[in-house]
Amino acid sequence: MASIINTSLTPEMADIQAQMESRARNHGLDFFPTVFELVDADQLNQVAAYGGFPTRYPHWRFGMEYEQLAKGYVYGLQKIYELVINNDPCFAYLMRSNELTDQKLVMAHVYGHCDFFKNNAYFAHTNRKMIDTMANHGQRIRTYMDRFGVEEVEVFIDWCLSIEDLIDIHAPAIKRRADVPRRFSTDENETHDEGSSRFDSKQYMDRFINPPETMRRESDERQRLRKESQAAVGPMPSEPERDVMLFLMEHAPLQPWQADVLSIIRDEAYYFAPQAQTKIMNEGWASYWHSTIMTTQGLTASDLICYCDHHSGTLASSPTRLNPYKLGIELMRDIEERWDRGQFGKEWDDCDDWETKQRWDRATGLGREKIFEVRRIHNDLTFIDEFLTLDFCRRYKLFKFGWNEDLDAYEIESKAFPQVKAQLLANLTNRGRPQIAVRDANYRNRGELLLENYYEGVELDAKYAADTLTNLFALWKRPVHIETVLEDDRVVLSYDGIDHERTDIGDDALVRS
Amino acid sequence: MGMRIDHDRSRFKEIVRGRIRQNLRKYVTHGEMIGRKGRDLVSIPIPQLDVPHFRYGKNGAGGVGQGEGEEGDVLGGQGEGGAGAAGSEPGGHILEVEVSLDELAAILGDELHLPRIEPKGQANISQEKAKYNSIRRVGPESLRHFKRTYVEAMRRQISTGEYNPSNPNVVPTRDDRRYRSWSTVSEPEANAAIVYMMDVSGSMTDEQKEIVRTEAFWIDTWLKSQYDGVETRYIIHDAVAREVDEHTFYHTRESGGTRISSAYRVAVELMESQFPVENWNLYCFQFSDGDNWGEDNNQSLALLRERILPKVNLFCYGQVDSPYGSGEYLKALEGAFGEERENLVLSEIADKDGIYESIQEFLGSGK
């Protein structure tokens, strides 16, 4: 039914698209071929609910997302302008009911995103055929649902989603250990004969091609090796493992289909991770380009008011919510200006005179080049760390706010630059989520799982932690624990399948059992 | 594209309704969607389910914001975790738009499946209204209908051959003039009066008043969308009761005992003097933590049964959970009225999340 809807651009929009594309290219943007799809609001909400992938596996939470987007749209509370998918070719969904001016703006914006996806280092490892891969994931999960029951599979997905953010976001860049090949199969009885030199053969030739003696010798050898390697295993894991999902995939007592589902959720988590890591930069970069292209080339007189209205709406910020678009675009512009005027390097840093600094202009003209470099090598964390300056912080009136328990409200805690920057960096570290790793898979020598939360001054939400442990227990099937800090005490929260427990362990670090 | 969403959506709805996956139901929260009404933010009840994961507690969370303000200034609204709140979704742009109170009421009605209210048998209350719905040849100049007049003049000119399309010069004469005119129609009018009563004795804390305020806001919004004119009155009581304005209603805190009958007496007087039952749809909402002076119960119940319930469309009693209150009154009401309570609705509100359920109980009857 849906396939009969024509999603290609109107001839008028196709012309605009060709123009925008060539303008973007002339500015030096480098992107995958980009396919625009013109869809109505309801379709856009559906696609957005699936995170941009209409062929994703079935799960209730996509229905929930849709429910919210659809209601928000119908009630006039919100609407989505556009959606871009990191893929080769890039897919961009435009809303049919948008005005032509908006479509121009959005197309310019989209090319900014596409360029960022293609060139930013943190996206380098992402799967550029994700649309196909997501469809495969969807198919695999549907097969499992047919075979094991919707309920069974959905419950399992929920458990996995509980630990979805426990991945090692730096793993694509740092090789912490050798790859372990692992194949999943839907057939429980299938055994792997890794390292066997058995050749394929017809049955009547088998004993000539694969002589039984050799096979037996090889098999004995393999068993000896396996025993040796098991004996040599020390503590598990030997280093704390940040990729909790991978650890469970390899060591939890899962059915093959369950391990496969877990691997699907993990793959998707890794695919989406860079988008959370580069939100400020990505939006800043795209906004910088839609603004540059529109104000220098794209606008006609009749577009002006509409463009200004929507551009400023996108960049509006509120006191309790720093707008990533605003911060991103202003920082990009700030960098461009500084490098245009040569405001960098030792000489600039050493200069103490405010007056000189104000008039500092070496006419270096390196701004554009610099921001292209920045978009290639930075993520939000390093971007803010490197380029957020005292001047910038003052000019844009940034402040740090915190929760005041007495007032039961948020209040401005500090306007001092070091505090503001530290807070912003803390919010961006590990995508604003607690850092957690597997420390011991044989805790108390009883095969129990111990996680560790690296406490950095902010405590976990105890209620959520307890519920998460419940789900983790369902995966590990033995008691699970997490070491963390609650109300200034070091504690271990545990769940053994029946009761939740909290043990104070004082100041002593836990001794590995 | 995307027809699969229907399946996921219905699964989600079934979880919310508790038909499947009962264990997930405890994660359902409300009020995540924020609308903006003037300068106030209003949250609209849309159920949400959260898969539990390790996350930071609220108290430690801070963020970075932008704008005017000095250190120590309080920020309005419930903030989100600053830059850390950046989601992992691909670059979708979201725009917040204002909603009017009428729209809010419609949204609320939709979400909670509230039935339209049928005003109780008072179709005979009618009001004469002038409706400008006809045209006459005579009338005062102030009511002259210019368009009709010129159309008439043009018609006359064309039929007499005076009209020249290349130089259209249409001049109406006295006969061409047309005037708007009215006819008097009598329209049934439905008016409602809402009487809020609240216990302000020492055991009601600010948190409970906040619940009452939120609930009253939604009740007002809904009833206003259902009636032409809505009058609101507020009564506070501890051991004695008095009528107050809205501000005082929400901001008074007294100490001392509790006599619910005192509030009922004031309510009865109010209704008898200002809102005769023949002309008004009456609503009473009483909020309390369930404490009452033991001996007062009999008096209260008698008043309620004999003098209030026969008059009102609906009497709603909302009991807010309080660390200090005993919660006895609800049981007393249940005991006294049993199952045969036609226009008496009882509801217990445990916390903020209970508000929507309680509104549903109150207004779900369509009375």
Side-chain angles (χ1 to χ4, degrees), chain B residues 230-258:
Chain B
V230 173
E231 293 278 326
T232 323
R233 294 289 183 272
Y234 299 92
I235 296 170
I236 55 175
H237 72 95
D238 45 17
V240 287
R242 63 195 160 105
E243 195 196 330
V244 294
D245 61 24
E246 188 178 352
H247 182 84
T248 324
F249 182 73
Y250 290 119
H251 294 93
T252 310
R253 180 161 180 179
E254 318 256 321
S255 52
T258 314

Side-chain angles (χ1 to χ4, degrees), chain A residues 259-380:
Chain A
D260 191 31
V261 170
L262 184 57
S263 81
I264 287 174
I265 309 251
R266 178 173 166 268
D267 283 351
E268 297 188 3
Y270 271 107
Y271 169 80
F272 283 119
Q275 307 199 3
Q277 274 177 285
T278 58
K279 180 91 179 164
I280 297 173
M281 285 188 72
N282 201 345
E283 293 302 354
W285 182 250
S287 301
Y288 174 89
W289 284 107
H290 84 231
S291 159
T292 306
I293 293 175
M294 289 297 279
T295 51
T296 55
Q297 297 160 311
L299 281 177
T300 61
S302 62
D303 290 333
L304 188 65
I305 300 291
C306 178
Y307 167 78
C308 290
D309 188 17
H310 292 159
H311 176 72
S312 55
T314 316
L315 297 189
S317 29
S318 80
T320 47
R321 196 168 178 188
L322 198 59
N323 185 335
Y325 294 78
K326 176 73 178 168
L327 184 63
I329 189 175
E330 296 301 354
L331 263 176
M332 286 287 179
R333 284 177 174 157
D334 188 55
I335 295 167
E336 186 180 22
E337 195 191 326
R338 280 172 58 202
W339 260 259
D340 271 344
R341 300 170 56 155
Q343 299 177 341
F344 59 92
K346 186 170 172 7
E347 210 183 327
W348 165 262
D349 288 338
D350 290 346
C351 176
D352 277 340
D353 185 41
W354 188 80
E355 198 63 34
T356 323
K357 279 193 152 184
Q358 284 301 302
R359 279 188 268 111
W360 190 291
D361 190 357
R362 299 281 154 92
T364 37
L366 294 170
R368 262 304 151 73
E369 203 180 309
K370 183 66 185 177
I371 58 173
F372 269 94
E373 177 197 304
V374 168
R375 78 94 160 78
R376 201 171 68 243
I377 62 179
H378 283 280
N379 65 23
D380 283 350

Side-chain angles (χ1 to χ4, degrees), chain B residues 135-247:
Chain B
I135 299 290
R136 290 184 193 175
R137 291 170 155 263
V138 290
E141 288 303 302
S142 59
L143 286 181
R144 183 147 53 124
H145 196 309
F146 285 91
K147 209 168 160 186
R148 294 273 189 139
T149 304
Y150 276 89
V151 167
E152 208 54 47
M154 207 165 140
R155 184 181 288 159
R156 176 179 49 74
Q157 287 188 345
I158 292 171
S159 59
T160 55
E162 279 171 48
Y163 183 71
N164 174 8
S166 56
N167 180 23
N169 195 4
V170 180
V171 183
T173 65
R174 184 76 190 83
D175 278 351
D176 297 330
R177 292 191 189 164
R178 293 293 181 275
Y179 301 86
R180 281 170 231 262
S181 178
W182 67 94
S183 47
T184 334
V185 291
S186 60
E187 276 192 342
E189 181 164 341
N191 286 317
I194 313 174
V195 179
Y196 289 106
M197 289 171 262
M198 180 163 60
D199 177 3
V200 289
S201 63
S203 52
M204 290 283 283
T205 64
D206 285 344
E207 202 179 319
Q208 274 114 40
K209 281 187 200 149
E210 182 59 34
I211 292 176
V212 173
R213 196 201 329 265
T214 312
E215 180 141 359
F217 168 80
W218 284 112
I219 291 170
D220 271 358
T221 306
W222 176 248
L223 289 178
K224 276 177 184 155
S225 74
Q226 301 290 311
Y227 289 102
D228 301 332
V230 173
E231 293 278 326
T232 323
R233 294 289 183 272
Y234 299 92
I235 296 170
I236 55 175
H237 72 95
D238 45 17
V240 287
R242 63 195 160 105
E243 195 196 330
V244 294
D245 61 24
E246 188 178 352
H247 182 84

Side-chain angles (χ1 to χ4, degrees), chain A residues 2 39 43 46-47 49-51 54-55 58-60 62-64 66-68 71-72 75-82 84 109 142 150-151 154-155 158 161-162 272 275-276 279 283 314 317 319-322 325-326 396-401 403 405 407 409-415 420 423-424 427 432-434 436 451 458-461 464-465 467-468 471 482, chain B residues 1-13 15 20-21 23-24 26-27 29 32-36 44 46-99 103 106-108 110-111:
Chain A
V39 295
Q43 291 170 311
Q46 288 184 23
V47 178
Y50 283 114
T55 51
H59 189 259
W60 58 261
F62 302 130
M64 174 179 78
Y66 173 74
E67 188 80 359
Q68 288 178 1
K71 287 212 166 113
Y75 296 155
L77 299 173
Q78 60 182 27
K79 76 177 185 184
I80 302 174
Y81 269 117
E82 128 280 333
V84 198
H109 193 88
R142 264 178 218 110
V150 173
E151 196 69 24
E154 201 181 65
V155 169
D158 286 352
L161 289 175
S162 243
F272 283 119
Q275 307 199 3
K279 180 91 179 164
E283 293 302 354
T314 316
S317 29
T320 47
R321 196 168 178 188
L322 198 59
Y325 294 78
K326 176 73 178 168
Y396 292 99
K397 298 182 177 141
L398 301 184
F399 57 76
K400 165 187 188 323
F401 66 84
W403 182 255
E405 233 164 289
L407 293 172
Y410 285 101
E411 71 170 8
I412 299 179
E413 280 181 348
S414 173
K415 300 184 81 176
V420 172
Q423 177 69 46
L424 193 50
N427 284 146
R433 295 160 205 201
I436 287 164
L451 303 184
V458 186
E459 295 180 357
L460 295 184
D461 183 321
Y464 271 72
D467 287 337
T468 313
N471 285 358
I482 183 166
Chain B
M1 175 172 49
M3 291 312 286
R4 297 188 176 104
I5 201 78
D6 292 336
H7 174 258
D8 291 339
R9 193 183 184 187
S10 64
R11 245 191 116 66
F12 168 63
K13 284 187 168 164
I15 292 173
I20 51 171
R21 313 285 308 278
N23 56 333
L24 277 181
K26 66 173 170 167
Y27 299 121
T29 56
E32 285 304 316
M33 182 166 274
I34 304 294
R36 195 185 292 269
I44 291 157
I46 288 189
Q48 259 203 333
L49 262 176
D50 210 358
V51 177
H53 50 271
F54 291 118
R55 64 170 206 185
Y56 289 132
K58 184 182 187 182
N59 295 356
V64 173
Q66 186 185 5
E68 303 294 336
E70 289 305 314
E71 287 172 20
D73 285 1
V74 171
L75 300 172
Q78 299 285 304
E80 296 193 25
S88 60
E89 293 305 312
H93 301 219
I94 300 238
L95 201 68
E96 264 189 12
V97 196
E98 280 199 11
V99 278
E103 284 168 325
I107 293 170
L108 179 77
D110 254 24
E111 283 309 322

Side-chain angles (χ1 to χ4, degrees), chain A residues 487-501:
Chain A
E487 289 142 18
D488 298 327
D489 291 328
R490 282 209 81 77
V491 296
V492 173
L493 303 176
S494 313
Y495 180 66
D496 61 3
I498 303 160
D499 291 317
H500 286 278
E501 206 181 315

Side-chain angles (χ1 to χ4, degrees), chain A residues 193-204:
Chain A
D193 253 354
E194 271 165 39
S196 161
S197 60
R198 176 181 287 274
F199 295 100
D200 282 349
S201 64
K202 302 268 192 241
Q203 201 180 359
Y204 62 91

